[in-house]
Amino acid sequence: MSFKFLKQLPSPEEIRKEYGLSQTAVHTKQERDQMVSDIITGASDKFLVIIGPCSADNEDAVCDYISRLSSVQEKVKDRLVLIPRIYTNKPRTTGEGYKGIAHQPDPEKRPDMVAGLIAMRKMHIRALEESGLSAADEMLYPENWPYVEDLLSYVAIGARSVEDQHHRLTVSGFDVPAGMKNPTSGDLSVMLNSVYAAQHPHHFVFRGYEVDTSGNPLTHVVLRGAVNKRGVCIPNYHYEDLERLIQMYETMDLKHHAAIIDANHSNSNKQYEQQIRIVKEIMHNRKISPEIHKLVKGVMIESYIEPGCQKVGEHIYGKSITDPCLGWEESEKLIYHIAEMN
């Protein structure tokens, strides 16, 4: 066999029993889940801002960042719901590089999946209990969902996972909003088909069990830009792109037409400073078009304490070791601008 079986992972039940939530945190998450759900369904006219580091590599720095975010949330609570990005799984285009704290708790040491599951859960719990903000994470590995399902108020499905059937079917069993990103090719029909699949019930195998799911009506789209056959980034957040998405939504039998705009990745050509301009354009388009205002429920922003990025091993506190991010000062100003425009 080509597989070398190293050790069996503890079950989600074992991990959750050992690293459990306080009753206060359970109640906080329930309230936050409802707030986010109400935005997706249109019951609330607040706006989502999913913001934080590209990858959550350092617990102290991430929780420091989220505590700062919590103070800002209190000031904008009448207009915005801030969801911190605690992305513990990092997809890699070539398979090389840091794959996130769930895979590699210490970026300078060998992978340790058991320690990673514990580190992932401990970080989410600490952030929630210290800040009162339940978080978003990317579901790179569907099997990991039970380890964090009691912690997350939002789940993102990445551009490379959105066409995968196992991801689509797993999302159909979620009870929180899940954002399906457009694939790197930019094909919006692929993204909408993924939403359709996740919104409907399914019968399949999950973690060794035969299961039924009820469908997740809170599944929606995330526009993150595309890359053409020449490797050139093509943004898809402009007015015309959103008008086209509205038309495509109307041709499909989907609940709660909703879109989140990812201001980085191929929309910014990974020029992280451009996120400010892109978000401002999105907010302007919501102002001038009632249809776009109704469709676009939020934005995603990559942000950390220090701007830019660093290499693994440089040890600059609060600076991304993966994609470059906005710094805290610029991020705080941008959040206040979003609140004013909503």
Side-chain angles (χ1 to χ4, degrees):
M1 292 177 67
S2 298
F3 286 89
K4 182 180 180 181
F5 290 84
L6 303 176
K7 52 189 170 183
Q8 188 170 9
L9 299 180
S11 70
E13 293 75 20
E14 290 170 326
I15 293 286
R16 288 171 60 175
K17 183 177 180 180
E18 186 169 357
Y19 302 95
L21 277 175
S22 68
Q23 282 304 115
T24 299
V26 170
H27 181 66
T28 299
K29 183 192 178 298
Q30 290 172 344
E31 290 183 334
R32 295 262 300 167
D33 287 354
Q34 190 62 55
M35 286 191 287
V36 179
S37 173
D38 285 348
I39 293 172
I40 298 299
T41 62
S44 167
D45 61 1
K46 292 181 183 180
F47 194 72
L48 288 174
V49 179
I50 303 165
I51 185 169
C54 173
S55 58
D57 62 284
N58 180 289
E59 181 180 308
D60 288 339
V62 169
C63 289
D64 178 357
Y65 175 92
I66 295 171
S67 292
R68 301 181 190 199
L69 206 62
S70 179
S71 298
V72 177
Q73 172 67 93
E74 184 62 26
K75 296 175 184 177
V76 299
K77 62 183 180 181
D78 293 337
R79 298 190 177 192
L80 306 180
V81 173
L82 307 183
I83 303 179
R85 286 172 52 111
I86 304 182
Y87 279 30
T88 56
N89 301 276
K90 182 64 182 173
R92 311 305 306 195
T93 303
T94 64
E96 294 294 323
Y98 177 64
K99 297 181 177 68
I101 201 169
H103 187 93
Q104 198 174 356
D106 187 330
E108 297 179 59
K109 294 181 180 178
R110 290 178 57 82
D112 186 331
M113 304 302 287
V114 174
L117 289 173
I118 294 170
M120 170 178 72
R121 186 163 176 86
K122 286 176 68 177
M123 185 190 298
H124 275 291
I125 290 173
R126 178 181 169 187
L128 175 57
E129 299 204 336
E130 287 183 358
S131 71
L133 301 182
S134 51
D137 202 344
E138 179 171 350
M139 191 182 72
L140 185 58
Y141 307 111
E143 295 82 1
N144 280 358
W145 168 245
Y147 291 101
V148 290
E149 64 178 312
D150 59 328
L151 299 171
L152 302 180
S153 287
Y154 188 93
V155 179
I157 306 300
R160 297 163 189 83
S161 302
V162 74
E163 296 186 69
D164 176 62
Q165 177 154 303
H166 194 40
H167 281 81
R168 294 176 172 189
L169 301 189
T170 302
V171 172
S172 74
F174 288 5
D175 57 1
V176 295
M180 299 292 202
K181 290 194 172 186
N182 62 262
T184 54
S185 68
D187 189 337
L188 300 187
S189 64
V190 168
M191 173 181 66
L192 287 164
N193 286 338
S194 187
V195 172
Y196 184 94
Q199 286 193 356
H200 287 77
H202 294 283
H203 186 103
F204 61 105
V205 173
F206 183 71
R207 291 188 60 87
Y209 286 87
E210 186 176 4
V211 300
D212 275 326
T213 58
S214 58
N216 180 2
L218 301 174
T219 310
H220 56 277
V221 305
V222 178
L223 298 179
R224 49 87 72 201
V227 179
N228 70 13
K229 64 182 180 181
R230 295 180 177 86
V232 177
C233 287
I234 305 170
N236 58 10
Y237 62 86
H238 294 304
Y239 187 98
E240 295 79 9
D241 299 302
L242 299 176
E243 287 288 320
R244 178 168 174 258
L245 178 59
I246 290 168
Q247 293 172 6
M248 294 182 73
Y249 246 127
E250 289 174 350
T251 65
M252 299 187 68
D253 181 23
L254 295 172
K255 300 175 183 176
H256 311 311
H257 298 184
I260 305 292
I261 313 297
D262 181 346
N264 212 16
H265 298 98
S266 293
N267 270 332
S268 69
N269 196 21
K270 292 194 176 180
Q271 302 299 308
Y272 72 94
E273 304 99 328
Q274 294 298 315
Q275 294 182 97
I276 298 171
R277 176 189 59 78
I278 291 166
V279 168
K280 288 182 177 180
E281 178 179 325
I282 293 163
M283 301 309 294
H284 172 73
N285 287 338
R286 290 181 83 244
K287 278 288 186 185
I288 63 176
S289 168
E291 292 81 11
I292 290 176
H293 187 277
K294 185 177 179 181
L295 174 75
V296 178
K297 307 291 189 181
V299 290
M300 287 183 174
I301 301 166
E302 290 196 317
S303 156
Y304 212 173
I305 296 171
E306 297 295 333
C309 63
Q310 63 179 321
K311 293 180 181 178
V312 173
E314 291 189 46
H315 303 294
I316 301 172
Y317 182 79
K319 194 169 188 176
S320 175
I321 62 170
T322 46
D323 289 349
C325 299
L326 285 178
W328 174 252
E329 287 186 17
E330 297 86 357
S331 302
E332 186 177 13
K333 290 177 184 176
L334 185 57
I335 292 170
Y336 293 139
H337 175 81
I338 296 169
E340 289 173 6
M341 291 290 287
N342 186 44

